[in-house]
Amino acid sequence: MCGITGYIGCKQATPELLRALKKLEYRGYDSAGIAVLNGSRITVRKMKGALGVLERKIAEEAIPGTLGIGHTRWATHGEPSDTNAHPHTNLSGNIAVIHNGIIENYGVLKEWLQARGVVFRSQTDTEVIVHLIDFYYNAAAIAPIGIPGTDLFLRAVLEALGRIEGSYGLAVIARDFPDRIIAARKDSPLIVGLGDGENLLASDVPALLDHTREVYYLGEREVAVLYRDHVDLFTDQGERVIRPSSHVDWDAQAAEKGGYAHFMLKEIHEQPRAFTDTLRPRLKIADGTPDINFDEIGLDASWADAPRIVITACGTAWHAGMVGKYAFEHFARIPVETDIASEYRYRNPVFNPRDLFIVISQSGETADTLAAMRLAKQKGARILAITNAVGSTLARESDLVLYTWAGPEIGVASTKAFTTQLMCVYLLALKLARLRGLLDGRAYRDALTSLQAIPAQAQKILENTAAIQRFAAGHFNKGKVFFIGRQFDYAVSLESALKLKEISYTHSEAFAAGELKHGPIALVDRDTLVVALATQTALFDKIASNIQETAARGAASLVITWEGEHRFDKIAGEIFTIPRTDDPFSPLLSIIPAQLFAYYCAVLRGNDPDKPRNLAKSVTVE
Ligand code: F6R
């Protein structure tokens, strides 16, 4: 995943591009670059390393110009280097391109171009794009080709797009057309910001909010031509597209750190508010009784008759799907299959068109998740998406969309997006249970009352971060950390272990606690910390035995359990308690101390939790 941006207006482009890239840096940070068009020439500056390296270089020598494009890279083809950094230019330097995505047929295209005398300078797949555009630009200049009614520059871009297989969000500038930027997308997000006397381009909304909240979310295979005073939209066949813009509700402040040391910490602390935002629009009080209102997705009784629910997602979102498995089965008594999207897409799955297919994705742009969703759609499934990203590919291609309303999540490690995904899952499970006649009025009301208490209970946990900080200080150097739990607690263990490994680089694993004795317990020694999630009252004795088994082999332990619960006092090394809610809703709260533990361990180990090594926020390539 990479971040791309563009600016055309009356201000100097360089500071605008750098400001936008700062907001997009979470999308990739192994190199960065900009290209600015100043009347008669395109100036490119690009450097290996974080954005700061480029900023220092540019500070030495300003680049004038009011039109430009910028890129922050997360390498896929070709190692991070100055040469492989974007923008890429054609040989004469009069066309520059930035790109996010993967050109799958770049090998064939490269050979084709080389046979025509093109000399490649980088190892990137992106470089074929600029040479293809150059090729068609020159060909069209000699004899008009391709799509009529478009100018030479647009025609050349459209011809090049016609040759490309794979995914792209890209932007192109040409020296001979100093009044425009051309942008295009396929399977990779790209948003046009509509300003006053200026127009902008970015991979994600926060990079636009300093300028505007009016946007076009570019659609699949859509092309935008940005001028200072207007934007034209086309299909990739050159046909005009006329449609209204969208309004973004987030403000610029919501996309900033707001005084926290890191976005991740800020986002952990935003969870009470995010819970409320997810819940409030869906909870309606009729005759003094709360009800879940899903008018927004038109969920009707036919969905409740689904013989099976299939959930696919990746990473943290898959863990939300694991909680979903327990929640839908517990409340709605519908069998659930939860699968990793990258497995599902290649599995030749057995399929019933009456199944309810749920796809969970924060970004709505994860390549494997989209592929799984498209496979299910092809087979006739009804798709319900749970996503945080309005206008994302997932949102557009699904039958129904349930937005998590977590607000922008910038930290690479997902926190508030996960817990709001859980909230959506619980609301759905309760609604389906009610539609299926499985919850009487009182049980339904009690469950909704419990959910309404969650924001305040989450806040209470966040007021006790010092206890987790102390615990992290005692254990951040452990060689191994194992999270164990049963049922809902197992799903939370999976997410807790992922959080810790991805930002602290500690070897951490999750085990269904009953599985320990079938192998993993061989790993337990004095260098092991066991974090036991213990919120499922009916299974207290079982998890207590597992804690004792690991303690007997020298492991230190932390038990996360309910306030006022003393079952673990004598066997736990340390205990962290969370406010009591109904056992099935425990993941909404029990994950919060685990998120904080991961965060503090990462900081104590000297890592930047917002920029974990080798990771990107949204994996838009396979
Ligand atoms: C981990 C994390 C990832 C994502 C995964 C799916 O903290 O964020 O595991 O959950 O890459 O991303 P989305 O939800 O955007 O599809």
Side-chain angles (χ1 to χ4, degrees):
M1 180 178 76
C2 307
I4 73 178
T5 187
Y7 176 84
I8 177 165
C10 301
K11 301 183 187 136
Q12 285 299 305
T14 303
E16 300 305 328
L17 295 172
L18 292 176
R19 218 182 338 262
L21 288 179
K22 192 98 207 128
K23 304 255 168 61
L24 296 171
E25 212 185 352
Y26 71 92
R27 298 178 66 87
Y29 29 84
D30 60 44
S31 55
I34 62 171
V36 176
L37 175 49
N38 178 17
S40 55
R41 65 184 288 239
I42 293 175
T43 307
V44 174
R45 293 277 182 281
K46 53 183 191 169
M47 311 278 299
K48 178 180 170 185
L51 182 62
V53 180
L54 178 74
E55 282 176 317
R56 284 193 287 282
K57 172 82 182 159
I58 289 172
E60 289 166 15
E61 194 189 349
I63 314 170
T66 55
L67 180 166
I69 54 179
H71 189 269
T72 177
R73 181 168 186 250
W74 182 67
T76 54
H77 291 65
E79 59 172 16
S81 69
D82 290 356
T83 312
N84 288 336
H86 300 211
H88 292 282
T89 53
N90 61 337
L91 298 178
S92 56
N94 58 5
I95 299 174
V97 168
I98 51 174
H99 165 229
N100 171 33
I102 286 190
I103 306 304
E104 285 163 5
N105 60 338
Y106 88 102
V108 177
L109 293 174
K110 188 169 180 176
E111 276 174 26
W112 187 85
L113 286 160
Q114 280 170 330
R116 281 153 186 80
V118 174
V119 178
F120 279 75
R121 289 166 291 193
S122 76
Q123 289 93 48
T124 65
D125 51 338
T126 301
E127 200 183 339
V128 299
I129 305 174
V130 71
H131 295 309
L132 269 181
I133 295 173
D134 184 41
F135 174 85
Y136 286 111
Y137 190 89
N138 291 324
I142 297 162
I145 51 157
I147 298 137
T150 53
D151 59 60
L152 181 60
F153 183 20
L154 181 57
R155 223 177 305 155
V157 172
L158 295 179
E159 291 290 342
L161 295 181
R163 298 283 308 271
I164 291 171
E165 287 165 22
S167 57
Y168 53 79
L170 58 83
V172 196
I173 56 174
R175 190 194 57 196
D176 300 340
F177 290 83
D179 62 343
R180 71 196 75 173
I181 300 172
I182 298 184
R185 82 154 263 175
K186 177 179 170 284
D187 293 329
S188 186
L190 201 51
I191 303 152
V192 175
L194 304 171
D196 186 9
E198 59 184 7
N199 287 305
L200 309 102
L201 194 66
S203 309
D204 202 354
V205 169
L208 301 171
L209 292 178
D210 287 342
H211 294 264
T212 181
R213 293 206 217 162
E214 273 319 294
V215 301
Y216 285 126
Y217 295 100
L218 274 198
E220 277 301 274
R221 298 179 181 276
E222 229 170 43
V223 176
V225 185
L226 286 75
Y227 301 87
R228 280 183 179 81
D229 54 358
H230 72 284
V231 173
D232 292 334
L233 299 181
F234 298 89
T235 66
D236 65 356
Q237 301 303 308
E239 290 139 6
R240 280 275 182 163
V241 175
I242 310 280
R243 61 182 172 86
S245 56
S246 307
H247 186 74
V248 177
D249 288 331
W250 310 344
D251 58 18
Q253 214 193 346
E256 299 295 340
K257 280 190 211 157
Y260 288 94
H262 296 98
F263 280 114
M264 183 181 176
L265 188 61
K266 173 178 175 251
E267 288 158 8
I268 290 173
H269 280 268
E270 282 174 344
Q271 288 176 114
R273 201 254 326 128
F275 279 138
T276 305
D277 289 351
T278 312
L279 260 179
R280 202 168 24 207
R282 279 80 187 225
L283 276 189
K284 298 277 160 2
I285 313 283
D287 302 329
T289 314
D291 188 17
I292 300 165
N293 183 322
F294 274 148
D295 284 353
E296 64 188 297
I297 53 171
L299 185 113
D300 58 35
S302 77
W303 291 78
D305 287 340
R308 186 177 65 147
I309 294 175
V310 179
I311 307 177
T312 66
C314 299
T316 287
W318 173 64
H319 299 153
M322 288 296 287
V323 172
K325 177 178 170 57
Y326 296 111
F328 287 116
E329 291 188 346
H330 176 84
F331 289 110
R333 307 302 299 146
I334 303 176
V336 180
E337 183 190 318
T338 298
D339 201 0
I340 295 166
S342 55
E343 288 292 305
Y344 188 86
R345 65 183 290 191
Y346 293 116
R347 215 183 77 189
N348 192 16
V350 177
F351 202 81
N352 178 343
R354 289 179 55 232
D355 289 345
L356 169 54
F357 200 91
I358 301 179
V359 186
I360 308 178
S361 171
Q362 187 284 129
S363 62
E365 300 291 350
T366 300
D368 285 321
T369 307
L370 292 178
M373 180 267 292
R374 286 172 183 152
L375 172 69
K377 206 169 173 184
Q378 236 172 38
K379 291 182 185 271
R382 297 175 291 177
I383 314 279
L384 169 64
I386 298 178
T387 184
N388 196 32
V390 177
S392 61
T393 307
L394 179 62
R396 285 202 314 272
E397 294 189 16
S398 301
D399 298 308
L400 306 179
V401 186
L402 199 53
Y403 287 108
T404 47
W405 300 133
E409 189 177 69
I410 309 295
V412 168
S414 187
T415 52
K416 62 177 180 168
F418 174 69
T419 41
T420 53
Q421 286 162 358
L422 296 186
M423 189 58 94
C424 287
V425 158
Y426 285 120
L427 289 172
L428 261 178
L430 292 173
K431 187 70 186 179
L432 291 178
R434 186 77 174 137
L435 287 169
R436 287 163 69 83
L438 294 168
L439 278 182
D440 63 25
R442 185 176 174 166
Y444 187 56
R445 194 184 56 231
D446 288 351
L448 293 182
T449 305
S450 296
L451 287 185
Q452 282 173 289
I454 293 288
Q457 292 177 316
Q459 186 57 44
K460 197 168 170 204
I461 297 173
L462 291 166
E463 281 157 17
N464 193 18
T465 54
I468 291 291
Q469 223 168 334
R470 267 197 311 277
F471 189 75
H475 296 285
F476 72 95
N477 266 333
K478 275 278 183 306
K480 288 165 277 185
V481 179
F482 297 156
F483 291 84
I484 61 170
R486 289 167 180 259
Q487 311 284 305
F488 285 100
D489 286 335
Y490 170 51
V492 175
S493 299
L494 289 166
E495 174 59 6
S496 306
L498 178 66
K499 281 296 82 89
L500 185 64
K501 70 172 71 128
E502 69 183 331
I503 59 171
S504 77
Y505 319 142
T506 305
H507 181 202
S508 58
E509 297 297 339
F511 299 113
E515 272 293 291
L516 274 179
K517 58 184 169 301
H518 297 289
I521 201 158
L523 292 169
V524 173
D525 59 18
R526 292 194 168 279
D527 196 24
T528 310
L529 169 67
V530 170
V531 180
L533 281 299
T535 66
Q536 302 304 296
T537 314
L539 297 167
F540 272 175
D541 288 346
K542 304 289 172 201
I543 190 81
S545 304
N546 299 133
I547 296 164
Q548 280 168 311
E549 284 156 16
T550 58
R553 286 152 183 90
S557 69
L558 170 68
V559 177
I560 298 174
T561 189
W562 300 125
E563 248 168 35
E565 179 56 61
H566 297 290
R567 175 70 182 79
F568 305 99
D569 288 359
K570 293 208 173 76
I571 57 172
E574 289 173 75
I575 294 182
F576 185 87
T577 60
I578 55 173
R580 203 175 266 275
T581 180
D582 308 351
D583 286 8
F585 297 146
S586 62
L588 294 162
L589 299 174
S590 61
I591 188 59
I592 297 175
Q595 293 168 340
L596 287 164
F597 177 64
Y599 172 80
Y600 289 119
C601 284
V603 172
L604 286 162
R605 290 170 73 110
N607 304 342
D608 179 348
D610 284 345
K611 292 179 196 153
R613 69 184 180 203
N614 307 338
L615 295 180
K617 180 70 184 158
S618 169
V619 186
T620 54
V621 295
E622 194 176 352

